[in-house]
Amino acid sequence: MCGISGFNFSDSGKIQKMMERQKHRGPDDSGFFCTPNWSLGHNRLSIIDLSSAGHQPMFSADQRFVIVYNGELYNFQELRQDLKERGYQFRSQTDTEVIIYSYQEWGEDCLRRFNGMFSFAILDTQTQELFAARDRVGIKPFYYYQHQGHFIFASEVKAILVHDGLDTPLNWEALNIYFRLLYIPSPLTAWQNIYKLPPAHYLRVSANGKMSIAPYWRLNLGTETGSRQEHQEKIRQVFRQAVNRNLVSDRPLGVFLSGGIDSTAITGVVSEMSDKVNTFSVGFESSEESEKYNLDFLLARKTAEHFHTCHHEFVITAAEVQSNLEKASYHLDEPISNHIQAVNLLLAQHTTEQVKVVLGGDGGDELFGGYERYYYNLWADRLHKMPAGLRNNFLSRKIFTSMGMDSWLEKINLPPGVERYFAFFAQKEDQVARFLRPEINRPGQAVSWFEKRFFPSVATDNFTQQFMATDLQSWLPDESLVRSDKMSMAAGLEQRVPFLDNELIDLAFQIPVEEKVGKKSWPMMRRRGVGYQGKVIMREALRSYLPEAVLNQPKWGWFSPAAKWLRGPLKGFAAEVLSPGYCHETNEYFDFRAIQDILGDHQTKHRYGLNTIWSLMTFQLWLKNYLRK
């Protein structure tokens, strides 16, 4: 794993400043290359072929092409053999060299042959054209600045911002989406004129800054023929192959192990293929409801015992979280509101002392129906086949009201489409309007943006599948994967995600949602986040890798005591960060009296407000960091 950077003019001093800003991503080696029209930089975390032969920027044998690359190509050995048969000679054992010759042989079509996680840029020194690309689901980041003929790219925005004179005012279209979804979707960023290259896209840039972008892959939503038993066998086979591909490394490797079935299944397969497996788990020091917040932690311990792994446990305190929130904000680059971001960072810092590569379970929920929102949405899909008068009448309203589920009745009566997606996913508009000043607040903008990008047409016959596909293409890369990448790379740790193997993604979206989305007992219906048991077909397929305690465990989620900490050990910190004096510039954006009311209501347990409070704290920390630059 590495950091890449570059721009369309020559400046050796500036490219080295960009590399310095990203050195945490590649502490083992660095290099740069300049022509009169381009500057390229690279920071290397050595994982495959640790020798100097893997140094970047790397040139093709004829010196025409030069590459800077971040990621891992899991099928590089097969591609290498194909290229050797076509006459290419290799000087290293790296996948980097495979990518540069694949591009030389097949051009942009090489991307359809790659199975892995990557972002890279290749300069054609003859034409002075830059070609750059990002993997299918956006596991590896690629940011770029484009304005008035200037083109600057990097793995992290902080490297772009070392340049002086950039026109980067805050992007309030993106930030309005952030306060509703708690992340910023591609290609938007928090700044105007800085963008994310969307997953599964490539771009071409001429020396004068003229750019074109195009997709090279689209998710195929279909239905796999065959029996349920055949689907189970395919999942098992493809999953084992995916995990095996992810084990290629010349550095020590481990697994992030929670109590969930995704990381447990990965641990099971790795244990089958390796003699010694290092696993890593994190728990919370909490005097109140400790078992609730450490359920995954305790299950992971049992799983580690089951597979006889070399298990490493880390217990994190509120004080450690507080002291690392600013650092986490700095490394995330953008406001991404998740109360485990500092926990991710602390876990990575502990883990990198033992290994340099770790496998994680990201993607399993989006592929196989793990989130409770898919269950509710599938139920809504089924009910919408009934006449409106039967699902929304006096009797149904009375039943749902008596159960305290008025909002749920409203959601199931929304037709398939962006409004229903937001009903299950977004923060309440009335809550956002409380703290965001009217001149900044743009109600409806987030819905309109998502409708154009993800719901230009609606699959009314199978909206749950479209819902899951939207998560795969938005929330997963722009919230979950970017958080995993930035927090692990801040510690010089490479995190891989076997569930997002090309073949497994293709297979998962051919399996009927009815075989994936699980069940929830009627008494638990009114309790969101409790009692849902999803990923049914996956559980059946991988049950031999799942200890009984994990196999039968409902979806729990990774809880942290953040809500309670805001009433206790983080109370003073939250009050400071959410005060008008913490970051004076935000006084023109926020109503701080309303914010203090929201914080007070949460602390007195009058009204739960964790998501709103954390999104505001995250924004305050982020903006102060950005302005400090």
Side-chain angles (χ1 to χ4, degrees):
M1 206 67 65
C2 306
I4 63 174
S5 51
F7 43 83
N8 64 337
F9 54 94
S10 183
D11 190 330
S12 61
K14 192 65 72 175
I15 193 66
Q16 288 179 80
K17 285 184 179 180
M18 292 184 75
M19 292 158 56
E20 177 67 20
R21 193 61 63 91
Q22 293 187 142
K23 65 181 180 180
H24 53 276
R25 295 188 69 92
D28 298 328
D29 187 24
S30 63
F32 66 93
F33 169 73
C34 295
T35 73
N37 296 315
W38 287 96
S39 301
L40 301 178
H42 188 266
N43 300 86
R44 185 187 184 199
L45 175 63
S46 304
I47 300 297
I48 295 174
D49 188 347
L50 310 184
S51 74
S52 60
H55 178 79
Q56 295 184 47
M58 181 181 287
F59 290 82
S60 59
D62 61 6
Q63 302 293 299
R64 176 176 176 177
F65 297 99
V66 57
I67 185 174
V68 286
Y69 161 55
N70 168 33
E72 301 294 345
L73 202 61
Y74 302 128
N75 63 334
F76 81 98
Q77 296 284 18
E78 299 97 300
L79 291 170
R80 178 189 175 94
Q81 184 59 40
D82 189 342
L83 290 164
K84 287 176 74 173
E85 291 171 2
R86 294 170 185 265
Y88 289 89
Q89 295 182 350
F90 290 82
R91 295 161 293 168
S92 75
Q93 299 301 313
T94 66
D95 52 345
T96 310
E97 201 173 7
V98 171
I99 290 177
I100 200 168
Y101 289 140
S102 293
Y103 180 69
Q104 191 166 359
E105 177 68 20
W106 297 299
E108 67 197 42
D109 287 341
C110 69
L111 299 170
R112 297 178 179 87
R113 298 171 182 259
F114 293 166
N115 188 355
M117 54 180 188
F118 57 82
S119 64
F120 64 81
I122 297 176
L123 176 65
D124 184 332
T125 60
Q126 285 187 13
T127 65
Q128 291 296 300
E129 180 183 72
L130 187 84
F131 175 83
R134 193 175 177 204
D135 64 70
R136 282 187 176 190
V137 288
I139 304 168
K140 294 291 101 189
F142 188 100
Y143 296 91
Y144 65 93
Y145 170 86
Q146 188 195 31
H147 187 61
Q148 295 182 343
H150 288 94
F151 179 82
I152 307 168
F153 72 89
S155 297
E156 299 187 3
V157 175
K158 61 180 68 66
I160 294 174
L161 295 177
V162 305
H163 290 259
D164 300 318
L166 300 183
D167 186 12
T168 56
L170 294 183
N171 183 346
W172 278 103
E173 177 185 29
L175 292 170
N176 265 270
I177 296 175
Y178 163 74
F179 283 115
R180 286 153 176 91
L181 297 183
L182 311 183
Y183 71 94
I184 297 173
S186 299
L188 303 176
T189 72
W191 301 268
Q192 295 180 43
N193 300 320
I194 296 180
Y195 308 92
K196 305 180 189 88
L197 179 62
H201 281 66
Y202 66 86
L203 59 79
R204 295 184 183 276
V205 189
S206 62
N208 64 11
K210 186 178 180 181
M211 185 181 74
S212 62
I213 297 179
Y216 65 85
W217 175 80
R218 297 185 190 278
L219 185 62
N220 180 24
L221 304 181
T223 302
E224 173 78 14
T225 58
S227 67
R228 189 184 188 99
Q229 186 175 356
E230 288 171 331
H231 295 166
Q232 292 172 16
E233 183 53 40
K234 282 187 178 180
I235 291 170
R236 180 182 173 85
Q237 178 184 350
V238 174
F239 179 70
R240 291 185 75 258
Q241 291 170 347
V243 173
N244 187 45
R245 280 192 281 265
N246 276 257
L247 295 180
V248 178
S249 174
D250 293 329
R251 301 289 290 272
L253 181 147
V255 181
F256 279 155
L257 178 60
S258 71
I261 67 173
D262 302 331
S263 63
T264 300
I266 292 171
T267 302
V269 175
V270 175
S271 298
E272 186 178 78
M273 297 177 175
S274 306
D275 294 331
K276 178 186 176 182
V277 181
N278 283 286
T279 51
F280 303 87
S281 296
V282 63
F284 300 101
E285 183 179 272
S286 177
S287 58
E288 198 175 345
E289 296 185 283
S290 177
E291 188 172 345
K292 171 183 175 180
Y293 297 113
N294 286 310
L295 179 61
D296 271 6
F297 181 65
L298 298 173
L299 273 175
R301 181 182 294 171
K302 292 180 180 178
T303 301
E305 292 171 356
H306 178 86
F307 290 114
H308 306 291
T309 72
C310 181
H311 192 52
H312 309 266
E313 297 182 339
F314 312 106
V315 176
I316 291 172
T317 67
E320 288 177 298
V321 169
Q322 178 179 324
S323 63
N324 280 274
L325 278 172
E326 187 175 332
K327 183 178 180 181
S329 174
Y330 168 78
H331 281 289
L332 283 170
D333 281 328
E334 295 188 87
I336 299 172
S337 181
N338 192 312
H339 45 89
I340 63 169
Q341 69 254 75
V343 177
N344 292 141
L345 176 61
L346 287 162
L347 176 59
Q349 289 173 347
H350 287 300
T351 301
T352 197
E353 296 173 4
Q354 304 293 329
V355 300
K356 288 300 177 184
V357 181
V358 69
L359 309 187
D362 303 58
D365 290 310
E366 290 80 5
L367 296 189
F368 291 103
Y371 292 126
E372 190 179 60
R373 55 183 176 264
Y374 305 147
Y375 166 77
Y376 286 125
N377 192 78
L378 182 59
W379 207 47
D381 279 352
R382 290 166 174 164
L383 289 174
H384 264 266
K385 295 177 182 178
M386 299 167 53
L390 290 180
R391 68 173 186 271
N392 188 16
N393 53 40
F394 173 77
L395 180 60
S396 63
R397 287 191 293 273
K398 187 173 182 179
I399 293 172
F400 278 86
T401 300
S402 68
M403 297 178 64
M405 296 175 62
D406 308 62
S407 62
W408 165 230
L409 182 62
E410 293 175 16
K411 290 174 184 177
I412 66 171
N413 279 290
L414 289 171
V418 67
E419 294 284 357
R420 194 201 289 175
Y421 183 84
F422 266 64
F424 282 108
F425 213 104
Q427 304 304 298
K428 300 288 187 183
E429 281 294 335
D430 60 348
Q431 182 77 336
V432 175
R434 287 183 69 187
F435 65 81
L436 206 54
R437 292 195 180 279
E439 57 269 29
I440 297 295
N441 190 18
R442 301 173 188 174
Q445 185 177 68
V447 170
S448 176
W449 190 91
F450 254 72
E451 184 172 33
K452 289 176 184 176
R453 187 159 186 86
F454 296 108
F455 300 99
S457 61
V458 177
T460 54
D461 59 330
N462 193 357
F463 182 65
T464 302
Q465 186 181 54
Q466 187 176 8
F467 195 121
M468 294 168 66
T470 302
D471 277 0
L472 184 81
Q473 297 168 92
S474 58
W475 186 88
L476 181 66
D478 295 320
E479 199 285 342
S480 179
L481 292 176
V482 71
R483 178 165 40 82
S484 295
D485 173 85
K486 299 286 183 63
M487 296 299 91
S488 60
M489 291 309 299
L493 177 70
E494 174 176 300
Q495 183 171 345
R496 300 177 179 178
V497 280
F499 275 99
L500 297 178
D501 180 271
N502 288 1
E503 293 183 22
L504 195 55
I505 292 172
D506 292 342
L507 173 61
F509 277 91
Q510 300 301 307
I511 292 174
V513 294
E514 292 79 6
E515 292 186 13
K516 296 190 284 188
V517 176
K519 59 187 178 181
K520 187 170 183 176
S521 64
W522 181 255
M524 290 291 182
M525 285 288 287
R526 64 182 295 177
R527 299 183 62 193
R528 294 191 63 182
V530 178
Y532 172 60
Q533 194 174 71
K535 294 180 278 197
V536 178
I537 189 76
M538 184 184 135
R539 288 173 189 264
E540 294 168 352
L542 304 178
R543 65 181 303 125
S544 64
Y545 298 114
L546 303 174
E548 202 66 26
V550 176
L551 178 65
N552 297 317
Q553 179 69 30
K555 176 70 175 177
W556 185 253
W558 191 8
F559 282 98
S560 83
K564 292 187 180 296
W565 284 346
L566 288 172
R567 301 183 185 114
L570 295 185
K571 185 176 181 178
F573 177 73
E576 176 193 353
V577 173
L578 297 181
S579 68
Y582 180 79
C583 183
H584 294 285
E585 288 77 7
T586 57
N587 281 271
E588 61 181 294
Y589 311 146
F590 301 142
D591 181 342
F592 277 95
R593 288 186 179 179
I595 290 173
Q596 288 160 6
D597 287 343
I598 292 168
L599 181 60
D601 285 346
H602 177 83
Q603 290 173 341
T604 59
K605 299 186 179 181
H606 178 67
R607 183 178 180 182
Y608 185 82
L610 174 61
N611 287 338
T612 300
I613 293 165
W614 211 268
S615 70
L616 287 162
M617 288 174 59
T618 298
F619 184 88
Q620 290 280 89
L621 290 163
W622 165 77
L623 189 61
K624 193 168 184 177
N625 257 327
Y626 165 58
L627 293 172
R628 188 179 294 155
K629 178 268 172 190

